[in-house]
Amino acid sequence: MTIAAVGSRAPDFSTRNQHGEEIRLSQYAGHPVVLVFYPYAFSGVCTSELTALRDRPELLASAQFLAISCDPLFTLRAYADHQELGFSLLTDFWPHGAIASSYGVFDAERGCARRGTFVIDAAGVIRWSVLNAMPEARNPDDYAEALSALTRRK
């Protein structure tokens, strides 16, 4: 499976967030977006990553953050409420892993998204990405640097 390439147009998708609201990537045209694919709600590494984002309001204000897993909608709602996550958690439950697959980060053997991140510019082009190993947490400072590079490009 090939990961979506930097410089390519970000694959559009439509799904629901933890509140049941329909979310389409293209609705954020004109604004930077960060897609944060993570394996499982309520798991240790994923929780540490997403709460680290929660605790960085200045970073969350710099782009639209969309966290995506293959968990069902109701699991995401319970998880967001429990962790007090104020950004959108998107379900990739059905068709199972379709969004993660379109970005090349679906692990078919485990049935979950791999730990992939994509920074998308206001024009819908992938400008930065990283793929971390399952047990390896991402550093929010990396997102901040990638988003800062977007503003320097203008």
Side-chain angles (χ1 to χ4, degrees):
M1 180 178 311
T2 304
I3 191 166
V6 170
S8 67
R9 184 158 246 349
D12 197 13
F13 58 82
S14 177
T15 188
R16 298 207 178 273
N17 69 9
Q18 72 268 29
H19 302 291
E21 301 162 330
E22 185 162 339
I23 301 292
R24 180 175 285 285
L25 178 61
S26 57
Q27 80 187 57
Y28 300 107
H31 304 281
V33 175
V34 180
L35 301 181
V36 181
F37 289 92
Y38 63 102
Y40 305 108
F42 292 104
S43 65
V45 176
C46 297
T47 298
S48 71
E49 288 184 314
L50 296 180
T51 57
L53 283 176
R54 175 200 66 203
D55 296 342
R56 299 275 302 265
E58 79 290 349
L59 181 57
L60 291 173
S62 66
Q64 182 67 47
F65 278 77
L66 302 173
I68 305 169
S69 76
C70 295
D71 294 300
L73 173 73
F74 298 107
T75 298
L76 296 179
R77 177 62 185 263
Y79 182 52
D81 289 350
H82 185 261
Q83 297 301 327
E84 299 178 350
L85 302 174
F87 48 88
S88 285
L89 304 184
L90 306 183
T91 182
D92 193 13
F93 184 71
W94 201 258
H96 194 74
I99 300 168
S101 292
S102 71
Y103 281 84
V105 296
F106 184 68
D107 184 330
E109 193 172 299
R110 288 186 170 112
C112 67
R114 296 186 299 161
R115 210 171 294 288
T117 310
F118 299 86
V119 172
I120 301 165
D121 69 13
V125 175
I126 299 169
R127 293 297 176 190
W128 181 85
S129 70
V130 66
L131 182 61
N132 289 47
M134 286 294 243
E136 183 184 323
R138 291 165 278 205
N139 184 342
D141 291 338
D142 294 341
Y143 308 151
E145 178 58 34
L147 288 165
S148 177
L150 284 183
T151 58
R152 290 193 304 264
R153 290 178 64 105
K154 291 181 180 178

